[in-house]
Amino acid sequence: GAVVSQHPSRVICKSGTSVKIECRSLDFQATTMFWYRQFPKQSLMLMATSNEGSKATYEQGVEKDKFLINHASLTLSTLTVTSAHPEDSSFYICSVSSLQELNTEAFFGQGTRLTVV
Amino acid sequence: EDQVTQSPEALRLQEGESSSLNCSYTVSGLRGLFWYRQDPGKGPEFLFTLYSAGEEKEKERLKATLTKKESFLHITAPKPEDSATYLCAVQADRGSTLGRLYFGRGTQLTVWP
């Protein structure tokens, strides 16, 4: 399967600051990347779909101005949590997918544990 | 609305005690059903994809099956290292971005020696 590298794996930041999370597809041309959020004992909830070279598509209820997504190349997508607050503390996970593959599988990064204090 | 429900929420097994996890789904056209394993603090690790009713796949002590309404993940003679949360996800065929998955909440499996 595809190798997906997510960085950092863990970050603690002060309330009001911004945090950038990177998702890299190391061996796979990722035309589409997905950003999920997972709260303890909860399901992975899709936040947004990131398409290379175009604007991200956000799920209902997700603030696009707060969660900035940039997918500038086929190997890198970034999620920036702006003006983070304690309620943004969560586990953020990216996955990659290729529109060129039928019945494509989704491969996931290792996740980023964000704690806002 | 597409939904995925997993049961039980938690399962404790003694080593060697076989059991099954359930994933029931309602989706407008199933493109694929996925099983993942997730360890604490880690991203999901891919296990299986099932595409059509009647399909079965096996990997070591795990076997996944699919019907038109649900999937089962059978664990035969589990070992402590099988302890993890098992996630089920579906990919819809119509009106959905290719690759977008809808996840269940998972079953937390604990296997004790």
Side-chain angles (χ1 to χ4, degrees), chain B residues 14-72:
Chain B
Q14 188 171 12
E15 183 172 5
E17 180 186 0
S18 301
S19 188
S20 295
L21 313 182
N22 177 264
C23 172
S24 62
Y25 64 91
T26 55
V27 64
S28 54
L30 180 72
R31 177 179 288 276
L33 184 141
F34 301 78
W35 282 99
Y36 289 87
R37 168 190 172 130
Q38 186 177 27
D39 292 299
K42 300 289 180 64
E45 175 188 340
F46 172 76
L47 293 175
F48 303 108
T49 310
L50 302 168
Y51 298 109
S52 57
E55 189 174 0
E56 298 182 353
K57 288 191 177 176
E58 288 189 63
K59 179 181 179 180
E60 296 180 354
R61 295 179 291 281
L62 300 177
K63 177 180 175 181
T65 62
L66 180 65
T67 72
K68 288 186 177 180
K69 294 185 178 180
E70 58 190 350
S71 175
F72 292 94

Side-chain angles (χ1 to χ4, degrees), chain A:
Chain A
V3 179
V4 182
S5 176
Q6 191 172 336
H7 179 81
S9 58
R10 188 180 293 268
V11 59
I12 300 173
C13 71
K14 290 185 177 181
S15 186
T17 62
S18 296
V19 173
K20 180 184 285 188
I21 303 170
E22 291 187 350
C23 180
R24 292 183 183 274
S25 177
L26 300 183
D27 60 351
F28 187 85
Q29 290 199 328
T31 52
T32 303
M33 291 187 178
F34 301 89
W35 287 96
Y36 292 85
R37 181 167 52 185
Q38 186 179 34
F39 292 105
K41 297 188 183 296
Q42 297 294 317
S43 174
L44 276 76
M45 298 299 296
L46 181 68
M47 299 174 64
T49 302
S50 169
N51 297 296
E52 186 264 336
S54 64
K55 290 183 178 180
T57 303
Y58 290 82
E59 294 297 300
Q60 191 172 7
V62 178
E63 301 175 57
K64 62 180 181 181
D65 294 331
K66 181 172 185 61
F67 298 99
L68 301 179
I69 291 173
N70 184 280
H71 191 160
S73 75
L74 288 172
T75 60
L76 175 64
S77 177
T78 60
L79 168 67
T80 301
V81 183
T82 63
S83 187
H85 288 93
E87 56 265 31
D88 298 323
S89 299
S90 186
F91 193 55
Y92 293 85
I93 311 173
C94 70
S95 75
V96 304
S97 173
S98 170
L99 288 174
Q100 297 172 356
E101 300 287 334
L102 294 177
N103 294 324
T104 186
E105 299 163 0
F107 299 96
F108 289 83
Q110 306 95 314
T112 297
R113 171 71 61 192
L114 171 64
T115 303
V116 184
V117 298

